Amino acid sequence: MEYFELLGLTQEPFSNTPDPDFFYGSHEHKEALQRLEMAIRLKRGLSIILGGVGTGKTTLSRTLLKTFEDDKEKYIFRLILDPNFQSEYEFVTGIMRVFEMQDIPNSTIECKNTLQNSLFKDSVLEQKYPVLIIDEGQLLTPTYLEVLRTLLNYETNKEKLLQVVIFGQPELLTKIKKQPNFYDRIGLGYVINLLNHNDTDHLIKYRLIRAGMKNDRQLFDESAISCIYEHTKGSPRRIVELCHESLLAMIRMEKDIVDSEIVQDSIKQKEIWNGLIL
């Protein structure tokens, strides 16, 4: 029997995967999602979402894809999860491969021409709009940003041939500002901040309900939630990790609810583990 079944749940509530079904829409996350959807539908070109480690950017990107599920025939979404390529040629061919292009040329210039022709065919001739999503955008080099700038220049008199959405950590902005020609092309820029205490509470309860918890059940008391918020500072990833460890500790201790004592014990065990890692 899975541990969550012992709690009367139907699935794991605090998985560390970016499952859009467990996307908690805080005010900022909802606004970011709505703005992204509008920017893509209006073909604004370049959208950039910034946020610190563990603020939910990857889950937001997967939720964005789910938002367009009813428009699969109209939009072509492709993802680059790690833009850490070795050269400009590899970056350009990497983009071509995610768009499933065949017969890749041997030179960067020829690749760009082939890419432009393919984007024109998709967007103008077939009325299917390509959207490139790049995660871990802070890893993009100035050379790769220049490549994206070139791709964003591909357009008709009415619209861009390619939409680009970049999710990255705040240091990406420093890189972008050093390249004004790229910075000026930003159609949407948005920063996701950490959750407050109220949203931390709602995030925990939302994920439990999504996992099958009944409305009359409570698995975290107020002292536990306050302790979780104080330790995680509102980082969604850290909240999820600590909640998972706390539920396991609750089961081991044969208790019915997670309190601050259990949370503190989970924090202590994590710190001991971290201290053992050299």
Side-chain angles (χ1 to χ4, degrees):
M1 178 179 288
E2 299 287 354
Y3 88 92
F4 54 81
E5 293 177 323
L6 297 174
L7 305 174
L9 305 178
T10 57
Q11 55 185 314
E12 186 176 353
F14 300 108
S15 169
N16 57 4
T17 58
D19 186 347
D21 288 337
F22 282 84
F23 172 74
Y24 168 68
S26 70
H27 172 75
E28 290 189 5
H29 287 82
K30 273 186 178 178
E31 185 167 350
L33 183 61
Q34 290 170 350
R35 290 192 181 196
L36 277 172
E37 181 181 357
M38 287 189 288
I40 291 171
R41 293 190 185 280
L42 294 173
K43 303 177 182 63
R44 299 295 295 169
L46 176 61
S47 299
I48 295 180
I49 305 297
L50 300 177
V53 175
T55 50
K57 299 184 297 298
T58 301
T59 305
L60 178 61
S61 69
R62 302 304 189 274
T63 307
L64 177 65
L65 296 178
K66 187 176 181 180
T67 302
F68 282 83
E69 274 190 346
D70 293 336
D71 293 308
K72 287 182 179 179
E73 300 301 318
K74 188 175 181 181
Y75 293 90
I76 305 171
F77 281 89
R78 295 292 184 267
L79 279 75
I80 292 180
L81 301 179
D82 182 1
N84 190 20
F85 294 87
Q86 298 301 311
S87 67
E88 179 183 6
Y89 177 76
E90 282 195 15
F91 182 55
V92 176
T93 56
I95 294 174
M96 295 178 73
R97 287 190 176 93
V98 298
F99 279 107
E100 302 175 357
M101 297 180 190
Q102 307 297 322
D103 301 322
I104 295 176
N106 293 321
S107 76
T108 302
I109 293 178
E110 290 176 346
C111 283
K112 290 179 181 178
N113 290 334
T114 301
L115 187 53
Q116 181 178 14
N117 291 335
S118 178
L119 293 173
F120 182 86
K121 176 177 176 290
D122 288 335
S123 185
V124 178
L125 301 182
E126 298 185 4
Q127 295 291 293
K128 294 182 178 180
Y129 307 112
V131 183
L132 176 63
I133 297 177
I134 300 177
D135 207 353
E136 302 294 344
Q138 71 279 357
L139 299 177
L140 290 166
T141 67
T143 299
Y144 302 162
L145 291 175
E146 179 60 23
V147 169
L148 293 175
R149 185 193 69 81
T150 301
L151 298 182
L152 288 165
N153 281 341
Y154 299 162
E155 57 189 0
T156 65
N157 290 335
K158 294 184 177 180
E159 61 191 35
K160 302 283 186 183
L161 299 183
L162 176 68
Q163 309 296 308
V164 178
V165 181
I166 304 176
F167 293 87
Q169 295 174 25
E171 54 263 35
L172 172 62
L173 185 58
T174 303
K175 291 184 178 182
I176 292 174
K177 285 185 175 180
K178 293 179 181 178
Q179 296 183 241
N181 287 338
F182 185 82
Y183 183 81
D184 289 344
R185 281 164 174 73
I186 298 176
L188 166 65
Y190 194 83
V191 178
I192 300 174
N193 293 304
L194 297 173
L195 303 180
N196 57 31
H197 184 283
N198 190 52
D199 276 325
T200 299
D201 181 20
H202 289 169
L203 167 65
I204 295 170
K205 293 175 180 176
Y206 174 81
R207 292 183 72 104
L208 286 168
I209 291 173
R210 292 292 296 175
M213 187 181 74
K214 304 301 180 182
N215 290 330
D216 58 349
R217 182 77 189 275
Q218 185 180 9
L219 286 173
F220 290 80
D221 70 14
E222 292 184 7
S223 70
I225 291 172
S226 294
C227 188
I228 290 168
Y229 173 70
E230 182 178 346
H231 180 72
T232 64
K233 309 302 180 186
S235 165
R237 180 184 299 171
R238 296 181 67 195
I239 293 169
V240 168
E241 290 174 351
L242 185 51
C243 285
H244 174 73
E245 294 299 327
S246 296
L247 279 181
L248 294 180
M250 182 193 78
I251 293 173
R252 290 196 306 271
M253 296 177 183
E254 298 182 345
K255 293 190 175 182
D256 296 324
I257 193 169
V258 175
D259 56 22
S260 59
E261 181 181 350
I262 292 177
V263 175
Q264 289 289 0
D265 182 75
S266 299
I267 293 170
K268 182 179 179 181
Q269 293 303 317
K270 186 71 172 178
E271 290 174 345
I272 291 173
W273 169 253
N274 289 336
L276 292 174
I277 299 177
L278 300 179

